[in-house]
């Protein structure tokens, strides 16, 4: 269960939300979007749920609720990829949406800024390996 913020003034007012309640409502939102052939965007989902950005951040701290939100993100990513592969005219827009973190966070090039840091303990030094 996650406690909602006191200043929430959107949609149906909820003070506490469980992962199960969130799952049911997210699945309902995604189903309604699918029926209307609309993209199940994150902002639309927040409005549908009656939650603020702050509330969504708080919800994502709960591991069970985060799993539900990850499922919603997977649905958005899947929708974009399928749409992009079915219609050449929407490819650029779908790719731009896929680059947003809430839709998959795709990048154009691989990240190469990773470094391996090795720390030696005891009497071993880096020179012992050269």
């Amino acid at each position: 269960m996650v406690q909602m913020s006191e200043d929430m003034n959107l949609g149906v007012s909820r003070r506490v939300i469980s992962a199960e309640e969130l799952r049911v409502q997210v699945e309902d939102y995604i189903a309604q979007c699918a029926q209307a052939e609309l993209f199940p965007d994150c902002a639309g989902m927040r409005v549908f749920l009656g939650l603020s950005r702050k509330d969504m951040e708080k919800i994502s701290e709960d591991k069970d609720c985060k799993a539900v939100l990850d499922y919603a993100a997977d649905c958005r990513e899947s929708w974009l990829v399928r749409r992009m592969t079915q219609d050449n005219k929407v490819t650029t827009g779908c790719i731009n949406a896929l680059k947003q973190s809430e839709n998959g966070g795709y990048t154009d090039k691989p990240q190469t800024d990773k470094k391996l840091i090795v720390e030696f303990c005891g009497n071993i030094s880096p020179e012992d390996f050269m």
Side-chain angles (χ1 to χ4, degrees):
M1 302 286 261
V2 178
Q3 186 71 30
M4 298 292 92
S5 67
E6 295 296 321
D7 61 348
M8 185 176 69
N9 198 16
L10 296 172
V12 178
S13 180
R14 296 180 186 89
R15 291 294 175 228
V16 177
I17 189 168
S18 69
E20 180 61 20
E21 179 186 9
L22 180 64
R23 183 190 62 76
V24 168
Q25 292 177 9
V26 165
E27 287 177 351
D28 186 29
Y29 171 70
I30 290 169
Q32 286 186 32
C33 287
Q35 186 175 12
E37 298 182 7
L38 297 172
F39 175 64
D41 62 288
C42 193
M45 184 174 70
R46 279 193 312 269
V47 170
F48 181 85
L49 297 171
L51 301 173
S52 68
R53 287 180 189 261
K54 184 190 252 184
D55 289 332
M56 289 293 278
E57 288 174 17
K58 186 165 186 125
I59 286 172
S60 68
E61 293 171 4
D62 178 87
K63 70 178 177 102
D64 295 328
C65 289
K66 181 161 180 5
V68 174
L69 297 177
D70 288 346
Y71 164 76
D74 289 345
C75 289
R76 287 191 299 276
E77 182 178 349
S78 175
W79 190 97
L80 289 165
V81 170
R82 290 171 189 228
R83 179 86 165 117
M84 176 176 68
T85 58
Q86 293 172 352
D87 185 353
N88 295 355
K89 296 176 186 173
V90 300
T91 300
T92 302
C94 287
I95 288 173
N96 287 335
L98 282 165
K99 290 180 181 179
Q100 297 172 4
S101 61
E102 65 268 10
N103 299 329
Y106 285 33
T107 59
D108 289 331
K109 44 189 156 184
Q111 297 178 349
T112 58
D113 60 341
K114 296 181 180 171
K115 297 178 184 178
L116 175 63
I117 299 174
V118 179
E119 294 184 26
F120 295 95
C121 302
N123 296 329
I124 300 175
S125 69
E127 290 78 27
D128 292 338
F129 295 95
M130 297 183 170

